[in-house]
Amino acid sequence: MLVNVLLNRLSELMSEQNKKADKPKNKGDRPNPFDMKKNKGGKPKFNYVWIYAILAVVFLAMTFLNPTGGKQVTVDRVLSMVENGDVKKISVINRSRAEIYLTEDAKKAEEYKKDVPESAFSGSNAYTYYLSDIGDYEFFNNQIKEAQKDLPSSSKVVINPEVKENFWDNPLVSIVLYIVVFGLIWMFIMRRMGGGAGAGGGQIFSIGKSKAQLFDKDTKVNVTFKDVAGLEGAKEEVMEIVDFLKNPKKYSELGGKIPKGALLVGPPGTGKTLLAKAVAGEADVPFFSLSGSDFVEMFVGVGASRVRDLFKQAKEKAPCIIFIDEIDAIGRARGKNAMQGGNDERENTLNQLLTEMDGFGTDTGVIMLAATNRVDILDSALLRAGRFDRQIYADMPDLNERKQIFDVHLEPIKVVKNLDVDFLARQTPGFSGADIANMCNEAALIAARSNKKLVEKQDFLDAVDRIVGGLEKKNKIITPDEKRAVAVHEAGHATVSWLCEFANPLVKVTIVPRGRSLGAAWYLPEERQITRTEQMLDEMCATLGGRAAEKVIFDKISTGALSDLEKVTKQAMAMVSIYGLNEKVGNVSYYNMDNSFSKPFSEKQAALMDEEIKKLTDQQYKRAIKILKDNKDKLLLLADQLLEKEVIFKEDLEKIFGQSAADKAAEKDKTKAEKKPKKKKVKEEPESEIEAK
Ligand code: ADP
Ligand code: ZN
């Protein structure tokens, strides 16, 4: 009954608040605490206001409904009360507890006054005394009858037997209630601390369970190695793991130990998850997939318990694969940031993971795969033998691999027959596999929007633009003057980089405004590991080409070159203070030594470096101006074409300037290289002649 009262009150509260939530908001954007926030699934999220409400109700219930209203008395005292005719009613509950209600007159009497409960809730209907145990019911009944035999029948008391589920008397109930209350408080605090990262109300009991997503017979992984393009080396290593899972005996009989885990290392979107899924698909075993951050919760001990649960489940399903994405969330080196505190929980989780990995034998058939893009920050204990001792690299795809990835993702898309995949691969330098997948999808959407039957090359180009530069801003207002300035600026970049041998090769130039930038020149970053001085200088020159062109054509410079200047300054600083490419400053590097408290160099050195940085940028700016002055007519031609077409490709530049400096140099090298072997032959011949002699 009490529970019912509670529930009624709660539902009243809720409906009141729902009404409030339904009202249109009229106070600007201030967040309304009664808003039912929708989470992903569309289910209303438990707002913290509910927690307040529940807490309040539970506390009220516990204070007012607990039988603290009366005072414990003895049987003799009750009998004397009855004898005096002061008792109105006696309720005997469950034949053991008696509650004594006094008459109104008696309540006012001096004798009882102090014992009458005053609580507003108990009111006048409350009992004043109780007997927690009456002993034998019949005997008690007789005693009462005996005691009041002299009283007039009008004021005789009848015993009123009641059967009550005496809920609140049960110690278990109070314990449970306290747990619930503290659970709610705890959840509330954690929610505030964890920024809502915690579980919703219903999940509190499953918090220690692993959140792994399981793919097995029912939800089969149907990714195979065919779906993974490129990554040849990685695939080969991973195939071995498939073999371990398929024929463990083959290895263990020879005394070999099956690896427990492999770490997939590489930048995001390069197909690490895909590769792990392919392993599961090929080996035809269950696949547990989860992210490192799934272990992390503000609650103490939850991470470790989730790890235990994960391994328990995995062992039941063996042979199987556990895949932990972004393992750096738990695997970061321990004890490095002790100052920050709050790391204990993560360390416990990591320790548990290490223990579990040591715990399962190599014949259990559980193989762990984990992905990260930051091996360097992982705890070395994770990388030790018997844990993730293998590292498999998934790098960004190169041109050829990009082509293969396109082939995979173009398969389900209806494209025009003569689509040049090679061209697409060339247009997408620096794209990861995920970017390419995204781009193919985007192209299909763009084509569908204009009601095309097949996806064309232009749709793919639009998709590239969208992915690289954010959404095209058609409505951005630019005056014709501004547009011309942008065209000249971009043409300047293009001209200088075309005429500098070592600048990055140009892919295209555009003056279509996108996102924050008004125009852009895309370069194909050469895939090189070492940059030489002349390459850095040429790049700086090309970067300054935009501003230089404005100067040459309009004799005015603008604010449009902010990001160019930033880039050039960074490059010049790097040359002088990091790579030791400056003669005067010499072979020193202050890489990562610079912090705001103490500089690793003297004031004099600082002044010298400043001077050299300025000299470098000035020199390159002058060089850019000279190049542009010498080619002013071509620069103007290019700017005009840009104004007209908005986008210009490598081929158009070739028409204006002829072969680029880089191509010319490459050709020279080629002819040199062709000559070289001849020379060698000439050299060799006399030698052999000598030998023959
Ligand atoms: P990661 O785990 O490395 O961040 P994912 O494996 O999640 O990357 O890749 C995301 C998506 O990108 C994949 O589902 C797939 O569609 C695509 N993708 C990435 N790399 C490749 C690849 N090498 N071959 C084919 N598709 C790829
Ligand atoms: Zn620029």
Side-chain angles (χ1 to χ4, degrees), residues 227-231 266-275 323 325-326 371 394 397 401 404-405 408-409 432-435 437-438:
D227 300 305
V228 188
L231 301 176
T270 47
K272 297 181 293 293
T273 316
L274 195 69
L275 201 59
F323 176 65
D325 205 357
E326 281 153 43
E401 287 173 322
Q404 294 172 24
I405 297 174
V408 169
H409 290 283
S432 69
D435 291 331
N438 188 6

Side-chain angles (χ1 to χ4, degrees), residues 489-490 493 543 546-547 560-561 563-564:
H489 179 103
E490 298 303 333
H493 283 308
T543 313
R547 167 162 280 203
S563 61
D564 294 345

Side-chain angles (χ1 to χ4, degrees), residues 115-375:
D115 296 332
V116 176
E118 273 168 344
S119 156
F121 255 68
S122 333
S124 50
N125 303 325
Y127 56 82
T128 311
Y129 299 104
Y130 70 93
L131 271 168
S132 61
D133 190 7
I134 52 166
D136 182 58
Y137 178 70
E138 306 312 330
F139 183 69
F140 179 71
N141 211 350
N142 283 337
Q143 275 182 309
I144 298 288
K145 269 190 194 146
E146 193 66 14
Q148 57 185 338
K149 66 175 191 288
D150 298 336
L151 288 181
S153 61
S154 62
S155 52
K156 265 192 182 149
V157 194
V158 216
I159 286 195
N160 188 7
E162 276 181 43
V163 178
K164 240 192 227 169
E165 266 284 78
N166 210 339
F167 193 74
W168 302 97
D169 268 358
N170 191 336
L172 259 182
V173 172
S174 351
I175 289 171
V176 167
L177 249 178
Y178 274 110
I179 290 174
V180 167
V181 168
F182 281 110
L184 285 171
I185 294 173
W186 184 43
M187 206 167 90
F188 170 70
I189 293 170
M190 289 308 157
R191 239 160 205 288
R192 304 226 94 178
M193 282 164 69
Q203 281 172 25
I204 193 150
F205 297 110
S206 60
I207 201 130
K209 292 264 158 46
S210 109
K211 285 187 176 175
Q213 207 183 346
L214 173 65
F215 298 91
D216 58 4
K217 278 166 258 101
D218 315 316
T219 51
K220 215 168 151 63
V221 188
N222 39 26
V223 178
T224 64
F225 284 141
K226 254 195 282 160
D227 300 305
V228 188
L231 301 176
E232 289 307 328
K235 260 199 263 182
E236 215 163 275
E237 293 206 41
V238 139
M239 261 177 219
E240 226 177 52
I241 293 178
V242 174
D243 208 33
F244 288 142
L245 284 169
K246 277 190 168 164
N247 330 298
K249 282 228 177 76
K250 186 170 117 192
Y251 295 88
S252 51
E253 267 171 10
L254 288 176
K257 273 206 183 108
I258 295 171
K260 282 181 186 169
L263 201 60
L264 298 161
V265 185
T270 47
K272 297 181 293 293
T273 316
L274 195 69
L275 201 59
K277 272 194 185 164
V279 173
E282 292 279 337
D284 203 14
V285 296
F287 181 71
F288 290 88
S289 169
L290 74 170
S291 165
S293 54
D294 288 344
F295 291 113
V296 183
E297 199 89 47
M298 288 305 288
F299 307 99
V300 175
V302 168
S305 124
R306 283 189 184 156
V307 171
R308 268 193 302 275
D309 188 58
L310 172 68
F311 277 84
K312 205 179 107 214
Q313 284 184 38
K315 277 178 207 160
E316 281 163 13
K317 293 260 181 193
C320 69
I321 289 174
I322 300 177
F323 176 65
I324 305 179
D325 205 357
E326 281 153 43
I327 195 168
D328 33 289
I330 45 168
R332 227 172 303 149
R334 283 167 294 183
K336 268 197 183 157
N337 292 327
M339 295 273 288
Q340 284 173 9
N343 281 337
D344 285 358
E345 171 57 9
R346 212 198 64 230
E347 286 186 12
N348 287 343
T349 311
L350 177 57
N351 285 334
Q352 186 66 40
L353 182 69
L354 294 174
T355 317
E356 291 286 349
M357 283 191 81
D358 289 341
F360 68 76
T362 46
D363 51 353
T364 329
V366 180
I367 288 193
M368 302 258 317
L369 294 175
T372 178
N373 49 358
R374 310 173 67 185
V375 200

